[in-house]
Amino acid sequence: MEASRRAAMRALELDNELAEAWLALAEIQFDYDWDWSRAEMTIRTALEYGPKNAPVLRQATWVALTLGETERALEFAQLAVDLDPLDYSGLTNLGTTYWALGQPEEEERIYRQILELYPKAVSVKSFLAAALTAQGNPEEGLQYLDFDSENRWQRTMSTIVLHNLGRHEEERPIRQKMIEDNGRHWAFNIATTCAWHGDPDKAFEWLDIAFEQKDTLMTTLPIAQWLAPLHDDPRWEKILAKMGLLDYWKDMRGKRVGEEQ
């Protein structure tokens, strides 16, 4: 990571207006340093020099989402798709933005569009299954899941969908296999399954592991819909505080409550 940081800084020494170099630096500050304010400033600079640079817009989406700027996040994600309507990364970014915003109907629409273009997109199939489950249609979601898949999202969403259907004898071995085969690399995903299955102690145990491992998925804590069962547990705010995300999450939650009233 430090080599990547040095490379980005060297590129900026040669060309201080290179959007790609500012993007590389923002990604390090966001995914690895967890320095939210600095990442926000850096991605703004990248946007200044690359306002129509799709990778810059995608990273700007995630920075905005994590910091609770949901309207700006959707604008960035949509603009990236407008620039290249067939781009897999851009479409997936838009779909996951709708997931973060709690709009499963729009999320479903985007994922179906992606699968028309990329029918073998395994992760997207799992996201579609999750979107359907969020709308109360887990049975329909099953057709997009492969319980024997090695894909982390296929396994994660398989446990969630099966749990929603009450098929616990089928989901338990999948979750156990996640732990046995990929516990060192899938800590955040395992925490997600534990949270949704009503085991907060195990969920926080795995979140602590993800924190220590600098799991990049920890940056999604404020927007992770499947971790909602943990929100009323006092340990939830503690881990957000450790991440430096507590104030952002509280602001985001306050906005949503205001919108619902």
Side-chain angles (χ1 to χ4, degrees), residues 67-99:
L67 303 188
E69 299 176 1
T70 53
E71 291 184 4
R72 291 187 70 222
L74 187 55
E75 290 174 4
F76 291 143
Q78 185 61 62
L79 180 54
V81 170
D82 292 343
L83 290 170
D84 188 350
L86 303 182
D87 179 61
Y88 174 84
S89 296
L91 287 166
T92 304
N93 186 62
L94 180 57
T96 50
T97 300
Y98 281 122
W99 161 76

Side-chain angles (χ1 to χ4, degrees), residues 45 59 65 90 109 166 185 214 247 249:
T45 304
Q59 183 62 33
L65 282 174
R109 177 179 63 83
H185 306 290
K214 299 288 287 189
D247 289 340
W249 179 75

Side-chain angles (χ1 to χ4, degrees), residues 43-225:
I43 201 63
R44 284 184 178 179
T45 304
L47 284 166
E48 179 182 347
Y49 295 124
K52 293 187 177 181
N53 182 306
V56 170
L57 288 164
R58 292 198 297 270
Q59 183 62 33
T61 300
W62 283 100
V63 173
L65 282 174
T66 299
L67 303 188
E69 299 176 1
T70 53
E71 291 184 4
R72 291 187 70 222
L74 187 55
E75 290 174 4
F76 291 143
Q78 185 61 62
L79 180 54
V81 170
D82 292 343
L83 290 170
D84 188 350
L86 303 182
D87 179 61
Y88 174 84
S89 296
L91 287 166
T92 304
N93 186 62
L94 180 57
T96 50
T97 300
Y98 281 122
W99 161 76
L101 297 178
Q103 298 182 28
E105 295 86 358
E106 288 300 308
E107 185 186 357
E108 176 191 351
R109 177 179 63 83
I110 296 299
Y111 292 146
R112 290 192 184 282
Q113 183 179 344
I114 295 172
L115 289 175
E116 288 180 3
L117 297 168
Y118 306 95
K120 295 183 179 180
V122 177
S123 292
V124 172
K125 290 180 180 180
S126 63
F127 300 153
L128 176 55
L132 290 167
T133 299
Q135 296 176 70
N137 301 313
E139 286 282 3
E140 185 179 354
L142 280 179
Q143 66 182 296
Y144 299 102
L145 296 172
D146 176 2
F147 300 158
D148 297 319
S149 174
E150 296 296 319
N151 179 277
R152 76 158 68 195
W153 294 110
Q154 279 283 316
R155 288 194 180 182
T156 303
M157 296 311 167
S158 290
T159 68
I160 287 174
V161 174
L162 287 170
H163 181 80
N164 277 36
L165 289 168
R167 293 165 57 173
H168 306 303
E169 294 302 317
E170 293 175 79
E171 63 88 4
R172 287 192 190 102
I174 298 175
R175 181 154 46 115
Q176 187 58 36
K177 191 169 178 59
M178 289 175 67
I179 295 171
E180 293 174 356
D181 294 353
N182 302 100
R184 293 181 58 189
H185 306 290
W186 293 4
F188 185 88
N189 296 74
I190 295 168
T192 299
T193 67
C194 292
W196 197 250
H197 292 79
D199 191 346
D201 292 341
K202 283 294 183 182
F204 282 110
E205 179 181 321
W206 282 103
L207 284 177
D208 284 337
I209 293 171
F211 177 86
E212 294 300 328
Q213 292 177 342
K214 299 288 287 189
D215 190 328
T216 58
L217 288 174
M218 288 292 285
T219 63
T220 69
L221 267 184
I223 55 176
Q225 303 293 324

